[in-house]
Amino acid sequence: MAAIRGKNTKLEMMVRRGLHSCGLRYVLHGKKLPGKPDLVFPSRKTVVFVHGCFWHAHEGCSAFRLPKTRPEEWEAKLLGNRSRDARNEAGLKALGWRVLILWECDVRGKQPQEVSALLDELAKKIRTAGEAGDM
């Protein structure tokens, strides 16, 4: 598992390029914030997490499936990741930050124009002061 990337994944890079092309500027992996969000928009007090469906145990997602080998260990690990995500999100909200989450399944297998539309929608959510939440 040491070879698995936690930063600069293909998905994260695609989101970063898309939001940058929309004119949004951000700070990467905010070290002073709970959970070190993938993208931080300080002037908008908004953070974006780009979650992989497997590693963050995306409930109800067809891309998430518990491995058949050592399922008890995997379940403990993945549920631990999910509870850590919830703690980090609560901590950010307590500090007054808006939290947006983009899931891997929202992008995987989509046509380029669908991904572009999704990133435009994400950019609109970042620009507005609307309610935070999942994509």
Side-chain angles (χ1 to χ4, degrees), residues 13 27 95:
M13 295 300 292
V27 176
L95 293 171

Side-chain angles (χ1 to χ4, degrees), residues 12-102:
E12 185 181 328
M13 295 300 292
M14 183 177 57
V15 171
R16 285 165 38 181
R17 282 188 211 104
L19 292 178
H20 192 273
S21 71
C22 289
L24 292 169
R25 301 303 179 253
Y26 45 81
V27 176
L28 294 176
H29 312 294
K31 291 172 183 60
K32 294 181 181 180
L33 294 173
K36 297 180 186 172
D38 298 314
L39 302 171
V40 180
F41 299 88
S43 63
R44 301 176 193 287
K45 201 106 170 154
T46 301
V47 298
V48 175
F49 285 99
V50 181
H51 284 337
C53 294
F54 175 75
W55 292 107
H56 296 272
H58 190 196
E59 243 180 296
C61 175
S62 62
F64 172 68
R65 186 174 47 91
L66 198 61
K68 294 191 188 312
T69 57
R70 302 188 333 252
E72 301 82 22
E73 292 176 32
W74 278 108
E75 186 174 21
K77 162 92 176 122
L78 297 175
L79 290 178
N81 288 353
R82 188 186 289 168
S83 66
R84 184 190 65 230
D85 291 342
R87 276 193 317 272
N88 291 334
E89 187 173 342
L92 286 162
K93 287 180 178 179
L95 293 171
W97 288 83
R98 288 188 309 142
V99 179
L100 299 174
I101 299 171
L102 181 71

Side-chain angles (χ1 to χ4, degrees), residues 80-132:
N81 288 353
R82 188 186 289 168
S83 66
R84 184 190 65 230
D85 291 342
R87 276 193 317 272
N88 291 334
E89 187 173 342
L92 286 162
K93 287 180 178 179
L95 293 171
W97 288 83
R98 288 188 309 142
V99 179
L100 299 174
I101 299 171
L102 181 71
W103 289 96
E104 174 185 16
C105 62
D106 293 334
V107 178
R108 178 174 277 180
K110 300 283 194 297
Q111 296 296 321
Q113 55 271 46
E114 291 175 303
V115 173
S116 180
L118 180 74
L119 293 175
D120 288 342
E121 181 185 332
L122 179 61
K124 279 183 197 169
K125 284 186 178 188
I126 292 168
R127 285 188 179 110
T128 61
E131 214 30 54

